[in-house]
């Protein structure tokens, strides 16, 4: 009897799936403007979205279509990008200078993106002109569809926690430092959800469990996150459900996102949430408040100390693994894709460096320091405009020569299965992000990568994510299937490095023009540079 009901339900569900072929649409109207903020007690010019700093969260469900009309009321060109949103077949909506013309002051652009086959915690941010130092970032959450199992009970509440280093100077002053050839100065503090010390508060009820979606939206510093007298159970990393490991604190590198569960199992009072910088001296620390609803007292006691060594971080990073039996965006287990059994068709070793070019500070990958052309690469490709970039303008392996400027584009074949080794011979911690993809992080070690290092790869349950750290004088190796045609930005998340050239584009190319592989240029595409005045025609 029960079986029949189940079968019956199943038929109704699948009928429904056929009749409602169109996925839901969600509409957003966003006004981007300057506004006064003073998170560190000093008035400064922030960038707000609909008057908010940080910007509003985007709440979505797997496969939702997000229609986001962005009105630029700044005095400068502006773009938003959607970190970790895979933009399948659709790099035209990625919102970085290589894919989109900037939205001119006083104008608007409507992004049309779909969070296809995704779940998890991400964020959006302004991609141009060092705007990220002034705000305009916010959380993106993609919930599982109602019938897809999630490997933990529904939390009592779900909080976005945006953490990041912060400067009291406005973004134009910081940008001037970089434009004049200097390195970025030391940050002034750390913010939690745009607020200074003890100004961000999260309400909990004793006995209940909460989800915190933590993203590091700062400019360069890795941050350690911890809560006085409470442990953190990691459940999701950039769209993958993890083995549920409990940590006393978590290192969140710049550009990364993590979901943890926190159970309010202590006495009814307030507790410190602590965020402190890693791998730099002096250490910057800020606090927020975990507030029990029946709290009998304010925060007290010593602020818990964070880790101080690199090894803690490396050991923690290696412990973050995919729960192969948990569902992802679909009901089937996340682990059914056997990335460890696919033959690698190309290996790239990417080495970061810094130096002076023409008297100015620059940063490079394999000796090339990226210079953005006036025409987005993606539009040059679409309109077949010559002279904007040369495919193959960055080498697969580090070169020994000095840093030089170029519009670096790596040419790759659609459906190749590639290995990227991020080799960091510098003394800083590096963080790399690739748009349009998530990659399997198969290895991380100190020293130089060699082909022998492959023997120690995790080919079973590596986490797949879109942003990885690379420890000082260390390497990180990732594997990925190039299954998403388009023009995709690979960049340092260390924002001054990104701004001064430590990025390039990966052109994932096919000769086919089938819509199966790539969506057409959007009819509202903004045109600029050598693409100005061209006609957007739909075949
Ligand atoms: C600007 O917004 C209007 C609606 O206010 C919309 O019709 C138009 O398509 C938008 N422009 C672009 C380039 O998306
Ligand atoms: C993995 O996910 C399964 C399925 O939801 C769950 O039962 C199991 O507890 C999870 N395992 C770990 C180690 O997190
Ligand atoms: C947190 O975890 C550690 C190690 O697993 C354990 O010793 C400690 O009792 C836990 N603390 C709380 C508050 O649950
Ligand atoms: C760091 O960990 C590695 C192994 O993971 C070990 O060989 C090394 O001695 C550790 N270093 C320190 C300073 O603890
Ligand atoms: C992988 O490469 C090996 C030899 O290098 C070959 O024998 C094998 O068939 C290849 N596997 C696949 C799936 O192409």
């Amino acid at each position: 009897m029960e079986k029949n009901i189940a079968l019956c339900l199943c038929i109704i569900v699948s009928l429904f799936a056929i009749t409602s072929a169109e996925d839901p649409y969600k509409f957003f109207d966003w006004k981007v403007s300057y506004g006064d903020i003073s998170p560190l007690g000093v008035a400064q010019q922030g960038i707000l979205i609909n008057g908010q700093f940080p910007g509003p969260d985007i709440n979505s469900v797997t496969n939702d279509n997000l229609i986001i009309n962005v009105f630029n009321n700044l005095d400068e060109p502006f773009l938003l990008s959607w970190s970790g949103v895979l933009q399948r077949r659709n790099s035209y909506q990625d919102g970085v200078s290589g894919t989109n013309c900037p939205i001119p002051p006083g104008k608007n652009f409507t992004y049309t993106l779909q969070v296809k086959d995704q779940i998890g915690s991400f964020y959006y941010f302004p991609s141009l002109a060092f705007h990220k130092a002034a705000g305009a970032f916010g959380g993106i959450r993609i919930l599982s569809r109602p019938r897809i199992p999630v490997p933990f009970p529904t939390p009592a509440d779900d909080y976005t926690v945006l953490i990041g280093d912060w400067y009291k100077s406005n973004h134009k002053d910081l940008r001037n430092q970089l434009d004049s050839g200097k390195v970025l100065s030391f940050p002034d503090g750390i913010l939690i959800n745009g607020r200074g010390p003890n100004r961000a508060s999260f309400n909990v009820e004793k006995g209940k469990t909460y989800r915190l979606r933590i993203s590091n939206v700062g400019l360069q510093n890795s941050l350690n996150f911890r809560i006085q007298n409470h442990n953190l159970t990691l459940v999701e990393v950039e769209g993958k459900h993890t083995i549920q490991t409990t940590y006393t604190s978590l290192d969140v590198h710049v550009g990364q996102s993590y979901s943890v569960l926190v159970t309010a199992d202590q006495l009814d009072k307030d507790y410190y949430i602590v965020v402190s910088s890693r791998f730099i001296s002096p250490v910057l620390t800020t606090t927020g408040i975990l507030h029990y609803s029946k709290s009998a007292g304010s925060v007290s006691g010593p602020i818990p100390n964070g880790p101080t060594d690199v090894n803690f971080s490396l050991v923690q990073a290696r412990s973050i693994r995919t729960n192969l039996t948990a569902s992802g965006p679909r009901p089937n287990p996340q682990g059914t894709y056997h990335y460890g059994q696919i033959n690698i068709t190309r290996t790239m070793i990417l080495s970061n460096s810094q130096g002076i070019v023409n008297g100015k500070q620059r940063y490079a990958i394999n000796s090339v320091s990226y210079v953005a052309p006036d025409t987005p690469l993606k539009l040059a490709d679409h309109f077949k405009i010559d002279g904007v970039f040369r495919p193959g303008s960055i080498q697969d392996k580090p070169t020994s020569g000095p840093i030089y400027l170029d519009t670096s584009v790596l040419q790759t074949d659609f459906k190749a299965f590639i290995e990227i080794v991020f080799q960091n011979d510098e003394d800083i911690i590096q963080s790399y992000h690739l748009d349009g993809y998530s990659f399997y992080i198969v290895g991380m070690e100190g020293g130089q990568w060699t082909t022998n290092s492959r023997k120690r790869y995790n080919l079973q349950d590596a986490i797949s994510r879109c942003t990885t750290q690379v420890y000082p004088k260390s390497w990180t190796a990732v594997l990925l299937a190039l299954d998403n045609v388009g023009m995709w930005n690979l960049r340092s998340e260390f924002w001054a490095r990104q701004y001064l050239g430590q990025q390039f584009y990966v052109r994932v190319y096919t000769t086919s023009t089938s819509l199966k592989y790539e969506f057409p240029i959007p009819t509202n595409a903004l045109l600029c540079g050598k693409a100005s005045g061209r006609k957007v025609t739909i075949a």
Side-chain angles (χ1 to χ4, degrees):
M1 182 62 192
E2 264 185 1
K3 217 174 187 172
N4 280 342
I5 291 171
L7 187 68
C8 203
L9 267 177
C10 198
I11 290 166
I12 292 169
V13 168
S14 52
L15 273 179
F16 186 72
I18 292 162
T19 49
S20 70
E22 189 86 87
D23 294 312
Y25 281 76
K26 294 206 166 97
F27 296 88
F28 303 82
D29 260 333
W30 281 2
K31 309 259 182 301
V32 178
S33 65
Y34 291 126
D36 287 336
I37 55 172
S38 50
L40 291 178
V42 178
Q44 64 186 116
Q45 177 185 268
I47 300 180
L48 318 184
I49 295 181
N50 291 349
Q52 296 175 48
F53 169 74
D57 277 350
I58 293 180
N59 290 300
S60 64
V61 176
T62 302
N63 292 349
D64 277 356
N65 292 289
L66 306 178
I67 313 300
I68 308 169
N69 198 351
V70 176
F71 292 81
N72 175 15
N73 296 333
L74 307 182
D75 58 354
E76 303 183 334
F78 181 83
L79 277 178
L80 284 176
S81 188
W82 323 91
S83 184
V85 173
L86 293 176
Q87 311 280 16
R88 287 181 210 278
R89 294 184 278 168
N90 208 6
S91 60
Y92 287 112
Q93 306 292 342
D94 205 28
V96 287
S97 71
T99 60
N100 292 71
C101 293
I103 308 170
K107 295 282 197 288
N108 70 295
F109 174 68
T110 311
Y111 291 86
T112 304
L113 39 116
Q114 188 178 20
V115 289
K116 182 81 182 155
D117 256 333
Q118 281 197 273
I119 54 160
S121 313
F122 307 97
Y123 64 94
Y124 61 85
F125 68 95
S127 65
L128 302 180
F130 229 64
H131 290 149
K132 203 181 172 194
F137 42 72
I140 300 176
R141 53 179 74 172
I142 311 173
L143 304 180
S144 299
R145 288 168 291 169
R147 287 176 204 89
I148 310 293
V150 173
F152 47 88
T154 305
D157 211 337
D158 190 330
Y159 292 115
T160 294
V161 186
L162 304 175
I163 58 178
D165 49 16
W166 192 258
Y167 291 79
K168 291 176 184 169
S169 320
N170 83 32
H171 76 277
K172 290 184 185 178
D173 294 334
L174 295 174
R175 196 170 70 204
N176 286 339
Q177 278 178 27
L178 299 174
D179 288 342
S180 69
K182 301 199 188 87
V183 297
L184 192 63
S185 50
F186 201 81
D188 295 309
I190 294 171
L191 304 187
I192 303 176
N193 284 349
R195 291 156 187 262
N198 295 336
R199 300 289 309 281
S201 181
F202 301 85
N203 295 326
V204 296
E205 234 176 274
K206 193 177 161 77
K208 294 190 172 168
T209 297
Y210 297 81
R211 180 176 188 164
L212 270 48
R213 298 174 190 257
I214 308 163
S215 295
N216 185 337
V217 297
L219 295 183
Q220 65 185 55
N221 285 288
S222 295
L223 299 173
N224 181 266
F225 183 93
R226 53 198 184 270
I227 305 179
Q228 188 182 26
N229 289 14
H230 292 74
N231 283 335
L232 313 168
T233 301
L234 186 69
V235 291
E236 179 252 335
V237 171
E238 293 160 20
K240 278 278 154 27
H241 287 131
T242 61
I243 296 287
Q244 295 178 11
T245 308
T246 296
Y247 302 100
T248 51
S249 78
L250 193 65
D251 274 351
V252 184
H253 304 281
V254 65
Q256 295 185 330
S257 301
Y258 295 84
S259 282
V260 297
L261 299 180
V262 175
T263 299
D265 55 5
Q266 299 294 306
L267 300 174
D268 273 312
K269 64 184 240 22
D270 288 1
Y271 297 88
Y272 284 118
I273 292 173
V274 191
V275 183
S276 59
S277 61
R278 294 279 276 132
F279 316 111
I280 57 159
S281 176
V283 172
L284 293 167
T285 301
T286 196
T287 49
I289 309 291
L290 188 74
H291 173 73
Y292 277 57
S293 57
K294 299 204 177 90
S295 175
S298 58
V299 278
S300 62
I303 293 172
N305 285 324
T308 51
D309 62 339
V310 174
N311 249 26
F312 166 91
S313 198
L314 182 60
V315 169
Q316 180 170 85
R318 290 206 190 114
S319 73
I320 298 173
R321 288 174 293 132
T322 303
N323 181 338
L324 298 176
T325 61
S327 299
R330 299 175 186 227
N332 47 309
Q334 306 180 110
T336 48
Y337 178 71
H338 296 293
Y339 68 92
Q341 288 162 27
I342 304 170
N343 285 341
I344 294 166
T345 54
R346 185 170 174 184
T347 295
M348 275 168 290
I349 301 175
L350 303 178
S351 171
N352 44 271
S353 62
Q354 59 131 350
I356 306 290
V357 180
N358 303 331
K360 291 184 171 177
Q361 179 68 41
R362 296 294 298 187
Y363 298 93
I365 299 174
N366 287 0
S367 302
V368 200
S369 187
Y370 182 81
V371 186
D374 62 351
T375 312
L377 310 169
K378 187 68 205 151
L379 298 187
D381 239 355
H382 172 78
F383 291 114
K384 301 190 166 44
I385 301 168
D386 285 338
V388 176
F389 71 93
R390 291 167 295 115
S393 38
I394 177 169
Q395 303 299 312
D396 274 22
K397 304 275 147 58
T399 58
S400 53
I403 292 177
Y404 60 97
L405 309 180
D406 203 349
T407 299
S408 28
V409 176
L410 185 85
Q411 175 77 8
T412 63
D413 296 328
F414 178 48
K415 294 200 169 149
F417 190 76
I418 66 168
E419 174 186 43
I420 302 177
V421 179
F422 297 107
Q423 179 70 52
N424 176 17
D425 294 332
E426 295 184 78
D427 247 337
I428 54 125
I429 181 154
Q430 178 63 273
S431 183
Y432 278 112
H433 173 91
L434 174 60
D435 284 356
Y437 285 91
S438 70
F439 41 58
Y440 291 90
I441 302 185
V442 292
M444 263 186 204
E445 277 178 23
Q448 290 287 323
W449 180 89
T450 68
T451 50
N452 268 334
S453 308
R454 288 185 184 135
K455 293 185 184 134
R456 299 185 296 278
Y457 279 2
N458 174 357
L459 297 179
Q460 307 304 321
D461 60 356
I463 196 75
S464 127
R465 64 187 308 176
C466 55
T467 309
T468 184
Q469 72 273 34
V470 192
Y471 291 100
K473 306 238 183 251
S474 300
W475 55 265
T476 295
V478 307
L479 298 180
L480 71 154
L482 294 180
D483 56 3
N484 195 10
V485 171
M487 189 68 81
W488 304 108
N489 190 215
L490 193 157
R491 59 176 174 265
S492 172
E493 285 290 321
F494 203 116
W495 218 239
R497 287 176 169 256
Q498 178 272 159
Y499 184 77
L500 294 179
Q502 207 158 68
Q503 58 170 313
F504 64 89
Y505 283 80
V506 181
R507 183 188 192 223
V508 181
Y509 186 74
T510 169
T511 50
S512 167
T513 54
S514 166
L515 295 187
K516 208 165 78 186
Y517 301 128
E518 191 172 26
F519 292 151
I521 185 169
T523 50
N524 67 336
L526 300 173
L527 302 177
C528 57
K530 296 193 174 82
S532 298
R534 299 281 180 134
K535 270 217 154 46
V536 176
T537 49
I538 301 301

